[in-house]
Amino acid sequence: GNTKMSLLNDIMQFNEQFTKNKDYEKYQTSKFPDKKMAILSCMDTRLVELLPHAMNMRNGDVKIIKSAGALVAHPFGSIMRSLLVAVYELNADEVCVIGHHDCGMSKINSEDMLDKIIDRGIPKERIDMLKH
């Protein structure tokens, strides 16, 4: 069977019960971070629950922005835009950039990744277009 669709179906079934049982109510909060902080962190799966617990952060405390390697790669990109919105629109007074041990981004080889992208059927011409 199609594993991806199976996962999506599992998520949808879980969510139906989650909303029906109103399990979301214990997570409700405002859009403004209570601790007035924005965190830029890596998207590593090991940090999903670990980071907030390690910092004593709960739902509603902080804005968490994630990117591969906790990097701001472009001064006008979505990561910077998210940080600016957190500070200037949502009243975050502090920004923490948090990396972690054994980050996969330190081992990424751009050429190898481009080869994988091409192997999956993305035309080289499209990649060349995005470089410029």
Side-chain angles (χ1 to χ4, degrees):
N2 187 337
T3 306
K4 289 178 181 153
M5 288 306 292
S6 173
L7 178 58
L8 180 58
N9 288 334
D10 291 349
I11 291 169
M12 295 301 290
Q13 287 175 358
F14 179 88
N15 184 260
E16 187 174 347
Q17 290 305 309
F18 184 82
T19 53
K20 183 177 171 186
N21 298 337
K22 298 187 184 213
D23 291 335
Y24 56 85
E25 287 180 349
K26 65 183 175 184
Y27 301 103
Q28 289 178 325
T29 184
S30 82
K31 66 181 182 178
F32 297 97
D34 293 336
K35 293 189 177 178
K36 298 191 179 303
M37 177 181 281
I39 296 172
L40 172 59
S41 174
C42 185
M43 64 183 210
D44 191 299
T45 56
R46 296 171 287 186
L47 301 177
V48 171
E49 291 186 51
L50 174 64
L51 182 68
H53 287 289
M55 297 182 69
N56 192 29
M57 300 294 177
R58 301 184 49 196
N59 202 51
D61 283 348
V62 298
K63 292 294 180 186
I64 298 180
I65 299 123
K66 295 186 173 236
S67 72
L71 298 173
V72 179
H74 193 282
F76 304 108
S78 61
I79 300 300
M80 183 58 78
R81 182 177 62 236
S82 296
L83 290 168
L84 291 170
V85 167
V87 170
Y88 294 103
E89 295 294 325
L90 302 174
N91 304 327
D93 292 333
E94 297 180 67
V95 175
C96 283
V97 179
I98 302 175
H100 65 99
H101 176 72
D102 196 32
C103 183
M105 281 303 293
S106 65
K107 299 174 188 85
I108 294 279
N109 178 303
S110 299
E111 292 304 316
D112 289 347
M113 191 165 76
L114 284 173
D115 289 343
K116 290 177 186 175
I117 292 169
I118 292 167
D119 288 347
R120 287 210 184 171
I122 303 300
K124 189 173 182 325
E125 298 76 38
R126 182 136 332 125
I127 295 166
D128 291 341
M129 181 182 71
L130 292 173
K131 287 181 179 177
H132 302 292

